């Protein structure tokens, strides 16, 4: 590998940019090689070689730039992750170029698919969604080369299993996610509720009562419950939670059985449809995470389904609801149902087209380390992928609700991406488009379930 470093030198009032390599030395001024007297060239040579000898270790390190595509700069996450990358750069003497990703997971996948198709070496590390390892496997380094079985035993086994395709470790768990129920503690107390709802039926009743009371008190824009109803992957997550909570299965079971078209799934969709225009705005069918959070954080909702990132934002000193809310598990589908949370989160993958996979893997190790994940949990309330941190006293002192949610993350419901692999994105589009049509009263619940099941059968048959 050819290692170079640029330095600025001044001779006779001229500022030149020198590129030093182990095989040649060039002095560039304005992009051209100047014709200087021999003694000047000789002097420059001595200066350059002196610099090379004195700073050889830093020159070798500084010659490597690792490029990472990671967190969106919406909210705090992108700035935080970028700062950790710069810490690693300072510790190792390398450089990091950081690409902020779009806030929509669908847009990110479209972007990544283009990079992978081009087999570009311009990105070394990709932050990939938990349901993408099957799609990304052909473009990823097998990280078992860098992470031992003992290393991986420190992460949630379900996520490691999810990230393993044909025996190859595609990504290292960076942070996990699971859907949570946010609720206004002050409003529950005001309206006589001692605890958050345990079932979707209880949530519907409580949201109806609180919404009516707040509107009567003068807040005409108040809603009982906000969530993600847009036609995108977020609705896949919400929909899977509804269906699983009513005992309707996981759409496609682990053995490949397509289970979605059943009475329990039908009951779940009818319940969700009933919220639109009653306890949820009709516009909820266009909501993604940030639209939901904006309504919630401005104080205009009693309940919200969202990911953990919204906690730190809502609890900011400038937030109207700071100190007035808490989180819990999502409700069950009736008294015989189950609490359900779709497994979310992001992994760090090293591109097989990278020219510096060893250093890229080292940055991944740093970002997924216990030390950095602990800071992430305390500073951003993002969920660690290491179970031990849910019992860490410093973490629990900052986010005490982490301790009670460990079973949720241990048993979170996975989307059928491991089964469908490269076909998952196409199937998910069928799923969330049909659900969105139901919510917009453009299709019956029965027809939607049949359409989803037919699509699932086609993809399963290809395996």
């Amino acid at each position: 590998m050819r290692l170079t470093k640029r330095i600025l030198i001044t001779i006779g009032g001229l500022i030149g940019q020198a590129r030093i390599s182990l095989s040649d030395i060039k002095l560039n001024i304005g992009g051209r090689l100047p014709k200087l007297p021999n003694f000047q060239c000789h002097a420059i040579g001595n200066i350059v070689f002196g610099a090379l000898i004195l700073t050889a270790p830093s020159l070798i390190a500084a010659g490597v730039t690792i490029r990472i595509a990671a967190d969106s700069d919406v909210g705090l996450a992108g700035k935080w992750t970028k700062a950790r990358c710069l810490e690693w750069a300072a510790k190792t003497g390398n450089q990091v170029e950081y690409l902020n990703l779009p806030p929509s997971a669908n847009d990110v996948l479209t972007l990544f698919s283009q990079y992978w198709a081009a087999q570009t070496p311009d990105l070394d590390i990709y932050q990939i969604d938990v349901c993408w390892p099957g799609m990304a496997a052909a473009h990823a380094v097998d990280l078992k080369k860098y992470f031992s079985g003992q290393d991986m035993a420190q992460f949630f086994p379900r996520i490691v299993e999810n990230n393993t395709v044909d025996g190859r470790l595609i990504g290292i768990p960076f942070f996990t996610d699971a859907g949570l129920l946010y609720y206004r503690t002050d409003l529950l107390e005001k309206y006589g509720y001692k605890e958050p709802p345990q079932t979707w039926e209880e949530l519907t009743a409580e949201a109806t009562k609180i919404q009516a009371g707040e509107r009567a008190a003068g807040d005409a824009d108040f809603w009982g419950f906000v969530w993600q109803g847009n036609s995108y992957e977020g609705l896949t997550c919400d929909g899977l939670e509804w269906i699983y909570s009513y005992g309707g299965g996981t759409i496609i079971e682990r053995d490949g059985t397509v289970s979605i078209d059943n009475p329990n799934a039908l009951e779940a969709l009818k319940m969700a449809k009933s919220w639109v225009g009653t306890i949820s705005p009709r516009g909820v069918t266009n909501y993604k995470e940030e639209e939901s959070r904006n309504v919630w954080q401005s104080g205009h909702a009693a309940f919200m389904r969202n990911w953990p990132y919204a906690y730190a934002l809502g609890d900011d000193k400038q937030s109207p609801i700071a100190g007035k809310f808490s989180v819990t598990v999502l409700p069950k589908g009736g008294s015989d149902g189950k609490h359900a949370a779709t497994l979310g989160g992001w992994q760090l993958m090293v591109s097989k087209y990278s020219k510096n996979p060893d250093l890229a893997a080292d940055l991944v190790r740093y970002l997924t380390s216990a030390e950095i994940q602990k800071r992430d949990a305390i500073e951003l309330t993002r969920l660690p992928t290491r179970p031990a941190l849910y019992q860490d006293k410093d973490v629990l002192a900052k986010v005490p609700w982490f301790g009670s949610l460990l079973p949720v993350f241990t048993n979170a419901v996975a989307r059928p991406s491991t089964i469908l692999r490269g076909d998952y994105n196409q199937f998910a589009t069928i799923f969330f488009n049909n659900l969105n049509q139901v919510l917009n009263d453009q299709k019956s619940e029965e027809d939607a379930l049949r359409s989803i099941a037919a699509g699932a059968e086609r993809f399963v048959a290809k395996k």
Side-chain angles (χ1 to χ4, degrees):
M1 183 173 121
R2 194 157 176 254
L3 303 171
T4 65
K5 179 176 176 66
R6 295 175 184 237
I7 63 171
L8 293 179
I9 58 177
T10 304
I11 300 175
L14 295 174
I15 299 178
Q17 190 179 61
R19 177 183 288 274
I20 306 165
S21 78
L22 300 184
S23 60
D24 66 347
I25 302 166
K26 294 179 181 178
L27 175 66
N28 290 324
I29 301 177
R32 295 178 296 172
L33 288 174
K35 294 182 179 179
L36 298 174
N38 288 336
F39 74 88
Q40 286 183 306
C41 291
H42 181 70
I44 293 170
N46 287 338
I47 294 169
V48 170
F49 278 117
L52 180 60
I53 292 169
L54 290 173
T55 61
S58 64
L59 289 181
I60 291 174
V64 178
T65 298
I66 298 299
R67 297 174 178 87
I68 177 172
D71 286 306
S72 163
D73 56 7
V74 171
L76 305 175
K79 297 180 181 67
W80 193 93
T81 304
K82 188 183 300 183
R84 303 293 80 74
C85 289
L86 294 178
E87 284 179 359
W88 174 85
K91 288 175 183 289
T92 63
N94 293 290
Q95 301 170 10
V96 175
E97 291 182 5
Y98 190 97
L99 173 66
N100 279 305
L101 294 177
S104 166
N106 287 20
D107 293 340
V108 173
L109 182 57
T110 298
L111 183 66
F112 283 1
S113 296
Q114 293 170 355
Y115 291 158
W116 295 334
Q119 300 186 5
T120 179
D122 294 337
L123 276 175
D124 302 286
I125 301 171
Y126 292 85
Q127 181 177 304
I128 62 172
D129 191 279
V130 72
C131 58
W132 297 348
M135 291 178 273
H139 311 285
V141 167
D142 182 2
L143 290 169
K144 285 185 177 179
K145 176 181 178 182
Y146 304 101
F147 293 82
S148 67
Q150 185 176 0
D151 290 333
M152 298 314 298
Q154 308 306 310
F155 296 91
F156 282 119
R158 183 162 291 187
I159 307 178
V160 175
E161 178 185 354
N162 178 86
N163 293 356
T164 304
V165 179
D166 294 332
R168 298 173 64 246
L169 183 59
I170 305 306
I172 305 301
F174 185 24
F175 62 91
T176 190
D177 260 340
L180 300 175
L181 180 68
Y182 288 73
Y183 63 96
R184 287 282 297 275
T185 52
D186 58 332
L187 294 180
L188 260 63
E189 181 180 0
K190 177 179 177 180
Y191 289 91
Y193 298 112
K194 295 182 179 180
E195 61 180 13
Q198 295 299 303
T199 67
W200 291 116
E201 290 76 12
E202 289 179 4
L203 181 145
T204 302
E206 293 179 19
T208 300
K209 180 177 179 179
I210 295 172
Q211 177 178 298
E214 292 303 291
R215 289 187 176 186
D219 188 351
D221 296 323
F222 193 90
W223 292 98
F225 182 38
V226 291
W227 36 282
Q228 296 78 50
N230 204 328
S231 187
Y232 79 121
E233 186 63 18
L235 181 53
T236 302
C237 298
D238 287 42
L240 178 57
E241 290 163 352
W242 306 331
I243 291 166
Y244 187 82
S245 74
Y246 274 93
T250 58
I251 309 172
I252 303 171
E253 305 307 313
R254 290 188 178 184
D255 63 359
T257 301
V258 176
S259 61
I260 182 65
D261 191 5
N262 66 75
N264 292 341
L266 178 63
E267 184 179 3
L269 295 194
K270 287 185 179 293
M271 173 60 76
K273 173 66 167 58
S274 74
W275 298 330
V276 180
T278 56
I279 61 172
S280 303
R282 292 202 176 276
V284 77
T285 59
N286 293 316
Y287 280 16
K288 296 182 180 180
E289 284 81 1
E290 281 297 279
E291 288 83 2
S292 305
R293 185 184 67 82
N294 288 337
V295 174
W296 160 261
Q297 192 165 318
S298 62
H300 296 302
F303 299 100
M304 175 180 70
R305 183 271 177 208
N306 214 322
W307 305 99
Y309 86 97
Y311 193 99
L313 296 170
D315 208 36
D316 183 83
K317 291 184 294 185
Q318 305 300 318
S319 169
I321 60 170
K324 299 178 182 179
F325 72 92
S326 189
V327 294
T328 187
V329 293
L330 288 164
K332 299 184 292 185
S335 58
D336 297 328
K338 305 173 184 178
H339 293 292
T342 298
L343 178 64
W346 295 81
Q347 334 305 313
L348 294 178
M349 163 195 136
V350 175
S351 170
K352 81 172 189 179
Y353 313 115
S354 170
K355 295 179 180 178
N356 299 290
D358 294 356
L359 274 177
D362 191 67
L363 176 53
V364 169
R365 179 177 292 279
Y366 181 75
L367 292 174
T368 59
S369 66
E371 174 195 352
I372 297 303
Q373 289 205 14
K374 179 174 178 176
R375 289 172 59 188
D376 201 358
I378 291 173
E379 296 173 26
L380 290 187
T381 67
R382 285 204 300 200
L383 302 174
T385 57
R386 296 170 174 268
L389 291 175
Y390 290 85
Q391 299 172 339
D392 184 279
K393 59 182 180 61
D394 297 326
V395 172
L396 294 178
K398 174 66 175 179
V399 276
W401 51 275
F402 269 25
S404 62
L405 295 179
L406 181 57
V408 176
F409 308 134
T410 303
N411 300 302
V413 185
R415 286 161 276 181
S417 57
T418 303
I419 298 169
L420 296 180
R421 298 194 181 184
D423 292 324
Y424 172 75
N425 194 46
Q426 289 178 271
F427 170 72
T429 301
I430 293 172
F431 184 79
F432 61 65
N433 281 343
N434 273 276
L435 262 59
N436 185 262
Q437 289 176 321
V438 168
L439 299 173
N440 280 307
D441 206 20
Q442 297 169 344
K443 197 170 196 176
S444 71
E445 293 88 343
E446 294 84 354
D447 285 346
L449 291 176
R450 283 193 289 268
S451 296
I452 294 168
E457 294 284 5
R458 288 196 303 272
F459 288 116
V460 170
K462 292 171 58 179
K463 303 304 173 188

